[in-house]
Amino acid sequence: RYLGFSFHDTYEAFEEVLRGRDWDFCQIQYNYMDTEEQAGDKGYALAEELGIPMVIMEPVKGGMLATPPESVVKVLKDAEPESSVASWAVRFAANLEGVITVLSGMSNIEQMEDNLSYMKDFVPLNDKEMEVVKKVADVFHSKHMIPCTVCRYCVEGCPKHISIPDLFACMNAKKVFHDWNADYYYSSVHTVHNGKASECIRCGKCEKVCPQHLAIRELLKEVAGEFEKGQPQE
């Protein structure tokens, strides 16, 4: 009989809710890339100050921190060759004072075994490892990735049936990871039975439900410019 809440909004809203009653816990999105998003650093600090335990979701940012660019992988592997890339993100979240649970989405047994291997007898990040995480975050921020966590809330109400998270993933894959498959997936997979980015009618329904408060309509214009240039208009 513990009372808590899961949060996807601004820090101001978080503070209002958090101070609204004597909560047993709160659940926030937090990872080494999202320190300024939603509740962010300020929200984490406030929960700590009020002594409210935290559950952390999206520690690996929808998988983005498990499959980073090679420049990021090199930094992590140079520091600890035996550790998985994802382990750094999960350990960062679990390392925080006041955190009671870290929610990690897994796709297969191997990922579960990897998570269990370092969480079973958890060792906090030391100062040197925290410096590595900070360096990696700086590299990520320099890439200007679309910070979509693939929750897919935006897809259900889209009148043009645009698979927005998949198109954003294509954009990140091409611009950040230089994945030559991105154009193929855009034109031959994600827009075959769903709308193209250019078909957005700018109704704004997607932005109203986006937990990340992304400027989806403007981002779709950028995606269309990247993937549909030179294509014949229908």
Side-chain angles (χ1 to χ4, degrees):
R1 300 180 184 277
Y2 296 98
L3 187 63
F5 64 96
S6 180
F7 187 81
H8 282 291
D9 208 321
T10 63
Y11 167 76
E12 289 72 23
F14 180 72
E15 180 174 4
E16 180 180 351
V17 174
L18 199 67
R19 293 186 184 277
R21 62 161 293 125
D22 185 19
W23 299 100
D24 295 307
F25 72 93
C26 63
Q27 180 171 302
I28 62 173
Q29 173 177 313
Y30 198 79
N31 55 66
Y32 64 73
M33 283 289 293
D34 285 338
T35 56
E36 301 299 323
E37 302 291 330
Q38 298 186 20
D41 282 340
K42 291 169 64 178
Y44 166 77
L46 181 63
E48 264 284 270
E49 177 190 329
L50 298 178
I52 300 174
M54 285 166 276
V55 175
I56 301 296
M57 56 183 162
E58 298 287 357
V60 195
K61 199 172 174 61
M64 289 172 65
L65 303 184
T67 56
E70 281 302 315
S71 55
V72 170
V73 174
K74 185 178 188 308
V75 172
L76 297 177
K77 288 299 182 181
D78 284 349
E80 292 183 12
E82 301 304 315
S83 297
S84 70
V85 173
S87 70
W88 288 86
V90 178
R91 287 181 65 211
F92 171 83
N95 192 64
L96 301 167
E97 292 290 333
V99 170
I100 53 174
T101 302
V102 177
L103 304 179
S104 174
M106 292 161 279
S107 304
N108 52 52
I109 291 296
E110 289 73 23
Q111 291 176 4
M112 178 179 287
E113 289 174 341
D114 178 52
N115 279 356
L116 291 174
S117 69
Y118 52 83
M119 291 301 294
K120 183 169 55 178
D121 299 306
F122 180 69
V123 178
L125 295 172
N126 57 39
D127 290 344
K128 184 178 179 181
E129 289 171 323
M130 285 298 292
E131 283 299 315
V132 172
V133 169
K134 184 179 183 302
K135 183 177 180 181
V136 166
D138 289 341
V139 173
F140 264 116
H141 284 303
S142 71
K143 301 290 184 181
H144 304 294
M145 297 178 71
I146 299 174
C148 170
T149 58
V150 202
C151 68
R152 307 195 76 84
Y153 296 158
C154 58
V155 177
E156 293 181 13
C158 178
K160 288 297 185 178
H161 308 291
I162 301 172
S163 188
I164 297 166
D166 294 317
L167 303 194
F168 286 171
C170 287
M171 188 71 160
N172 284 337
K174 185 171 183 178
K175 303 294 284 186
V176 178
F177 300 95
H178 305 294
D179 186 350
W180 61 274
N181 277 315
D183 286 284
Y184 169 79
Y185 275 96
Y186 182 88
S187 60
S188 301
V189 178
H190 299 309
T191 59
V192 173
H193 301 295
N194 296 289
K196 296 179 180 180
S198 61
E199 294 173 19
C200 170
I201 60 173
R202 304 182 67 80
C203 67
K205 289 182 178 180
C206 53
E207 294 182 7
K208 291 178 180 177
V209 297
C210 176
Q212 313 305 319
H213 307 290
L214 299 179
I216 295 175
R217 290 172 287 184
E218 291 303 310
L219 289 169
L220 284 175
K221 283 178 62 177
E222 294 179 19
V223 171
E226 180 63 39
F227 289 97
E228 298 179 40
K229 52 191 175 186
Q231 290 188 7
Q233 297 298 308
E234 297 179 357

